Amino acid sequence: MSLNNLTYKLRIVADTEDDIFIDISINSNNTFLQLHDTIVNGFKLDGGEMASFYKSNDNWDKGAEITLMDMSFGEDDDNKNMCMENTQVHQVLTKDEPKFLYLYDFLNMNIFYIDLVEISNSNPSSNPQILNTFGEYEVKK
């Protein structure tokens, strides 16, 4: 199965007492920056705050981080991290590791839980698509 032809369906759930979520369809070659932008639009966030994705497990523990900006100090930096602009979805989101955390605005901790719902061979759009929204998210300030 070619990674170019895969569509990932994701459910992103807001960390609130109410059920608030969006479903997204994303091409496996899209970047985490494109996913970030889609989440910002889907939950009507202002987009002006720092954010990161974290690999996660069934307990929603934080794992490896994918940062909004490249935080390394050049080519020789041993602590080279993944940044959203340079990391494609298929590189880290798999059936074996289907969960991610998304933190938006580290001061106010807007937290979202991302779960890979389905991988299909359908012809993916070149840009992520919001398939479904449920509830209205109120940004923590």
Side-chain angles (χ1 to χ4, degrees):
M1 193 174 345
S2 169
L3 293 175
N4 295 334
N5 297 325
L6 296 179
T7 299
Y8 287 18
K9 181 179 176 189
L10 307 175
R11 172 155 289 172
I12 297 102
V13 179
D15 184 25
T16 61
E17 291 193 19
D18 298 325
D19 289 336
I20 301 171
F21 65 86
I22 60 175
D23 292 331
I24 292 176
S25 173
I26 189 166
N27 183 312
S28 56
N29 287 327
N30 285 145
T31 65
F32 275 87
L33 184 57
Q34 290 169 291
L35 177 57
H36 159 77
D37 291 341
T38 306
I39 294 170
V40 165
N41 291 334
F43 284 104
K44 297 177 177 57
L45 307 173
D46 67 16
E49 300 295 335
M50 291 298 294
S52 283
F53 290 95
Y54 296 89
K55 281 182 149 188
S56 194
N57 58 22
D58 288 338
N59 295 323
W60 297 105
D61 298 320
K62 278 190 203 173
E65 181 179 15
I66 302 170
T67 58
L68 182 57
M69 294 181 205
D70 188 351
M71 305 297 241
S72 62
F73 296 106
E75 299 283 324
D76 298 332
D77 189 349
D78 290 338
N79 297 321
K80 196 142 180 83
N81 64 337
M82 293 181 281
C83 72
M84 293 183 201
E85 186 177 4
N86 301 328
T87 307
Q88 293 176 320
V89 172
H90 74 85
Q91 291 175 297
V92 286
L93 186 60
T94 66
K95 284 183 184 176
D96 294 333
E97 294 182 304
K99 295 182 184 299
F100 270 79
L101 290 169
Y102 174 73
L103 270 61
Y104 176 83
D105 185 358
F106 297 119
L107 293 177
N108 295 302
M109 296 300 284
N110 292 275
I111 301 170
F112 302 88
Y113 303 94
I114 301 173
D115 207 354
L116 175 61
V117 175
E118 176 182 276
I119 299 175
S120 68
N121 282 328
S122 62
N123 292 325
S125 170
S126 57
N127 294 309
Q129 305 290 317
I130 296 174
L131 303 173
N132 183 32
T133 61
F134 186 86
E136 187 116 351
Y137 184 70
E138 192 158 318
V139 179
K140 295 176 194 168
K141 296 182 179 184

